[in-house]
Amino acid sequence: MASRSGKKGAGQSERPARLIDVAHRAEVSRATAARVLGGYGFVGGETRERVLAAARELNYSANVVARAMRAGRTQTIGVVVADISNSFFSHATRAIIDTAAKAGYQTLVLNTDDDLAKEIDAVRVLVEKRVDGLIVVPSSPTRYDHLVQEGELAKPLVLLDRRVEELHVPVVCTDDRGGARAAVELFLARGHTRIGLLVATAAARGGPQAPQPDDAVSTVHERVAGALEAIDARRARQPAIRYCRSTIEEAREGALALLTHKTPATAILATNEEMTFGVLAACDELGLAVGKDVSLVSFDDTPWSRAIAPAISVVRRPVYELGHAAASALIREIRGEGRSGEILLPVELIDRRSVAKHAKRAR
Amino acid sequence: MASRSGKKGAGQSERPARLIDVAHRAEVSRATAARVLGGYGFVGGETRERVLAAARELNYSANVVARAMRAGRTQTIGVVVADISNSFFSHATRAIIDTAAKAGYQTLVLNTDDDLAKEIDAVRVLVEKRVDGLIVVPSSPTRYDHLVQEGELAKPLVLLDRRVEELHVPVVCTDDRGGARAAVELFLARGHTRIGLLVATAAARGGPQAPQPDDAVSTVHERVAGALEAIDARRARQPAIRYCRSTIEEAREGALALLTHKTPATAILATNEEMTFGVLAACDELGLAVGKDVSLVSFDDTPWSRAIAPAISVVRRPVYELGHAAASALIREIRGEGRSGEILLPVELIDRRSVAKHAKRAR
DNA sequence: GTGAAAGCGCTAACAG
DNA sequence: CTGTTAGCGCTTTCAC
């Protein structure tokens, strides 16, 4: 006698009902019960009703981990991001969760703080958990051993927002290069010649620095490259660049450096939210008015960037679409419906009030 | 012959190595291999080394789903929030993920958009996935059947940010009542008598409304109640209240209503980020200066609320701590280390520049 | 300190 | 259309 909850009561007994308990109560075999509860195969109408009734009466809840073990699929994906509390990642993740859920997958979220060691650990955990696929925002542009996993447990993988050299898996990115180029072209068109780039990168060490850290992720390269393209096309003066970690404080220092140089920048491209606040703080400190003394374009549109005065001009990235595309690509890959190559989403320069025509600046 | 990867090669064979493959290669039993790989029981030093070496050579990755099935624990928790892309939830979730990870749990995240049907579904999925516990931000203050789950599959559960009447499980909240009270006390102390409350709630239907929707979550009640406490204590004039869904557009309409009333509000408490932007937009439209013509206090501190001009006074909630406390309580419960009651975290009123002394306002 | 064997709950051949 | 049965990979008594 294997049954335990199949007595008479409505399921108040010791342990949760299992498939076999439902089968007994409905007086069918486990296979039949499994077919109706699992939603596959063919079962007669009356039998199906009996099973459904029994399941309801016993308050049956399918044990998905047993199913996963048997089927070899967990219907779970893993998302590895730098920091879910960051607005860019949280919006992209929202899209991923939604898209995955619609396709029957749940989503495990792990943070790396852009630390390779944490990323390696996260991927290991996810692989051990036997997720059906991973979406990773890689913290290193070159290190990817943990993502290919010699041997046979390589899982479907999609990279989000950043490329990894030599790793040929689907990547979903935005056209950051084009966005930076457009921003700088706008500066140039408005007569600015002394352009500053305030670039966030986890690879920066010990305060704002001029040389590009060589382990900066692809997004950093792209944005700088885009800005330089615009400059070179117009044979304009080379920009001043400061790389710093993504904190408002470091950004403020970086912006201060750009703004107090002997040939101070009159226009600054800030590569994310923190950098933008840094510029705002520095301008405030220096008594400089944004949109007048200092022009500013920032990456990523947010409610506040259009609500504040002056409204900030931004390079808008389609963040939800980015996450959606990544999840779609991953699910396609999981289902063996063909691999995507690189997906490049267009960005949009929204010119608001923070970019002024260049005029001699009072110091 | 059960083995398949245990041949000679370094694990390049067809399928991922299993425990038994490692055992064979190390020339020990499955039990012994399991002991060293699972990190329990006693195994001789030399034997342990052999097993570890074999695992490495075969690129062994523990199958955690098999382990979960056997052990009855998945080392996974579920988090059910309204919207992970919302900054409050994303910060709380970040804390939950971190705290859980430190204790060896991974986190599934699901969104409800404050829709009860989605919440019910999310909980069902999570229970089927056999998570070890759940953290839920309940979308209804009264409906909780899906959370208690008649029968035996009730999982350890902690409520985040919102209470549910009659549901006696651990709840982790912030002192929103006290925060609202403090905000209104500040208005009163500065001489304001016509106070407006702009309250976000998913329960609002069809534009800003005056009566409180009766299925508004506890946080809504608390904030309004706190505001009224301050008013009643000073026998001040009753506030004008507008309830609206959490969008900038509805907030703008609500704020417009408050500001263009025949006795317009001179001070507004906005219960979240969207409400705050709505007030900002309305003031802009009406040509009113925040921090001068209109005073404003907002719930939740953010980088922009201190960066914009004027810097917005806010009721700061300890969001990370909130998530951390919820995860800690849940893990304690999962481990049977005793149940927490209600945890109430203190808030802090940060007075910046958006609350002016009352003066006759030019219309 | 190590091994043998039972079984977690489910699915998928295969047989009828 | 329905039943029988053999595992999925791992842990865990219980012996030795």
Side-chain angles (χ1 to χ4, degrees), chain B residues 4 15 19 30 40 60 63 67 70:
Chain B
R4 348 173 245 223
R15 295 180 42 169
L19 182 62
R30 273 146 75 211
Y40 60 92
Y60 174 73
N63 185 329
R67 181 178 291 171
R70 182 61 233 251

Side-chain angles (χ1 to χ4, degrees), chain A residues 27-324:
Chain A
E27 297 180 297
V28 297
S29 71
R30 273 149 73 213
T32 302
R35 281 192 265 261
V36 3
L37 266 10
Y40 61 94
F42 295 84
V43 180
E46 198 264 339
T47 315
R48 134 173 279 107
E49 287 313 319
R50 276 217 317 286
V51 173
L52 257 14
R56 215 174 307 116
E57 288 158 15
L58 294 176
N59 189 29
Y60 175 73
S61 164
N63 186 328
V64 172
V65 356
R67 183 178 291 171
M69 165 145 179
R70 181 63 233 250
R73 290 173 292 104
T74 53
Q75 298 297 120
T76 304
I77 65 168
V79 171
V80 180
V81 295
D83 175 11
I84 187 67
S85 69
N86 177 110
S87 128
F88 169 69
F89 295 119
S90 72
H91 283 266
T93 302
R94 162 85 212 218
I96 294 171
I97 293 176
D98 286 1
T99 308
K102 211 158 291 178
Y105 294 84
Q106 279 62 58
T107 307
L108 285 166
V109 178
L110 284 76
N111 300 112
T112 66
D113 287 314
D114 266 329
D115 174 28
L116 184 61
K118 288 193 196 173
E119 178 180 316
I120 292 173
D121 222 57
V123 170
R124 187 184 49 69
V125 168
L126 255 11
V127 168
E128 289 191 343
K129 277 220 144 95
R130 297 296 189 260
V131 293
D132 294 337
L134 289 87
I135 294 177
V136 176
V137 179
S139 57
S140 163
T142 49
R143 308 279 279 105
Y144 59 87
D145 291 5
H146 57 295
L147 296 174
V148 297
Q149 219 86 7
E150 280 312 330
E152 24 280 316
L153 21 84
K155 294 282 173 186
L157 168 67
V158 170
L159 261 30
L160 183 71
D161 187 50
R162 302 170 185 172
R163 299 181 186 82
V164 171
E165 288 169 35
E166 302 170 46
L167 180 53
H168 299 295
V169 298
V171 192
V172 183
C173 292
T174 50
D175 182 18
D176 290 20
R177 174 185 294 244
R181 192 194 308 120
V184 171
E185 279 168 359
L186 178 65
F187 288 152
L188 262 15
R190 297 264 164 93
H192 293 274
T193 52
R194 300 199 304 268
I195 291 171
L197 266 30
L198 193 55
V199 183
T201 169
R205 301 273 171 264
Q209 58 181 78
Q212 177 162 348
D214 50 65
D215 47 348
V217 298
S218 67
T219 324
V220 168
H221 293 291
E222 290 293 320
R223 295 180 188 186
V224 173
L228 293 179
E229 281 176 13
I231 298 220
D232 292 347
R234 298 267 294 247
R235 303 190 203 292
R237 176 207 286 251
Q238 287 303 301
I241 311 184
R242 278 296 175 288
Y243 296 90
C244 51
R245 270 175 298 183
S246 193
T247 69
I248 296 178
E249 184 42 33
E250 279 206 19
R252 185 188 133 272
E253 290 172 34
L256 243 24
L258 257 17
L259 259 12
T260 57
H261 190 267
K262 56 182 185 289
T263 56
T266 61
I268 297 181
L269 173 60
T271 66
N272 71 6
E273 203 166 315
E274 282 73 25
M275 298 304 104
T276 305
F277 285 126
V279 173
L280 258 24
C283 287
D284 191 49
E285 213 168 314
L286 264 20
L288 264 18
V290 170
K292 215 173 141 205
D293 304 320
V294 176
S295 290
L296 174 63
V297 170
S298 158
F299 260 80
D300 291 342
D301 194 18
T302 62
W304 62 261
S305 47
R306 83 190 301 277
I308 73 177
I312 309 293
S313 300
V314 300
V315 175
R316 198 191 82 83
R317 293 190 290 165
V319 183
Y320 192 93
E321 290 77 358
L322 190 73
H324 175 73

Side-chain angles (χ1 to χ4, degrees), chain B residues 251-295:
Chain B
R252 185 187 134 274
E253 290 172 33
L256 243 23
L258 257 16
L259 259 11
T260 58
H261 190 268
K262 57 181 185 288
T263 57
T266 62
I268 296 181
L269 174 60
T271 65
N272 71 7
E273 202 166 312
E274 281 74 24
M275 298 305 104
T276 305
F277 285 126
V279 173
L280 259 25
C283 287
D284 190 47
E285 213 167 314
L286 264 19
L288 265 17
V290 171
K292 214 173 144 205
D293 305 319
V294 176
S295 289

Side-chain angles (χ1 to χ4, degrees), chain B residues 46-302:
Chain B
E46 197 263 340
T47 315
R48 134 172 280 105
E49 287 312 320
R50 275 217 317 285
V51 173
L52 258 15
R56 214 173 310 116
E57 289 159 12
L58 294 176
N59 187 29
Y60 174 73
S61 164
N63 185 329
V64 172
V65 354
R67 181 178 291 171
M69 165 148 180
R70 182 61 233 251
R73 290 173 291 103
T74 53
Q75 298 297 121
T76 304
I77 65 169
V79 171
V80 179
V81 295
D83 176 11
I84 187 67
S85 69
N86 176 109
S87 128
F88 169 70
F89 295 119
S90 73
H91 280 88
T93 302
R94 163 83 214 219
I96 293 171
I97 294 176
D98 285 1
T99 308
K102 211 159 289 176
Y105 294 84
Q106 277 63 58
T107 306
L108 285 166
V109 179
L110 284 75
N111 299 111
T112 66
D113 287 314
D114 265 328
D115 175 27
L116 184 59
K118 286 193 197 171
E119 179 180 316
I120 292 174
D121 221 58
V123 170
R124 186 183 50 68
V125 168
L126 255 10
V127 169
E128 289 190 344
K129 276 218 142 96
R130 296 297 187 263
V131 293
D132 294 338
L134 288 85
I135 294 177
V136 175
V137 178
S139 57
S140 164
T142 50
R143 308 278 282 100
Y144 58 87
D145 292 3
H146 58 296
L147 296 174
V148 296
Q149 220 86 5
E150 280 313 331
E152 26 281 316
L153 19 84
K155 294 281 172 185
L157 168 68
V158 170
L159 261 31
L160 183 71
D161 187 50
R162 303 172 183 171
R163 298 181 187 81
V164 170
E165 290 168 32
E166 303 167 49
L167 180 53
H168 300 296
V169 299
V171 193
V172 183
C173 292
T174 50
D175 182 17
D176 290 19
R177 176 185 294 245
R181 193 195 309 121
V184 172
E185 279 167 0
L186 178 64
F187 288 153
L188 263 15
R190 298 264 162 93
H192 294 275
T193 52
R194 300 198 305 269
I195 291 172
L197 267 31
L198 193 55
V199 184
T201 168
R205 299 275 172 263
Q209 59 181 81
Q212 177 164 348
D214 49 67
D215 47 346
V217 299
S218 68
T219 323
V220 168
H221 295 292
E222 291 293 319
R223 294 179 188 187
V224 172
L228 293 178
E229 281 176 15
I231 296 213
D232 293 345
R234 297 268 294 248
R235 303 191 203 291
R237 178 205 286 249
Q238 288 302 302
I241 311 184
R242 279 295 175 289
Y243 296 91
C244 53
R245 269 173 299 184
S246 193
T247 69
I248 296 178
E249 183 43 33
E250 280 205 20
R252 185 187 134 274
E253 290 172 33
L256 243 23
L258 257 16
L259 259 11
T260 58
H261 190 268
K262 57 181 185 288
T263 57
T266 62
I268 296 181
L269 174 60
T271 65
N272 71 7
E273 202 166 312
E274 281 74 24
M275 298 305 104
T276 305
F277 285 126
V279 173
L280 259 25
C283 287
D284 190 47
E285 213 167 314
L286 264 19
L288 265 17
V290 171
K292 214 173 144 205
D293 305 319
V294 176
S295 289
L296 173 63
V297 170
S298 156
F299 261 78
D300 292 343
D301 195 18
T302 61

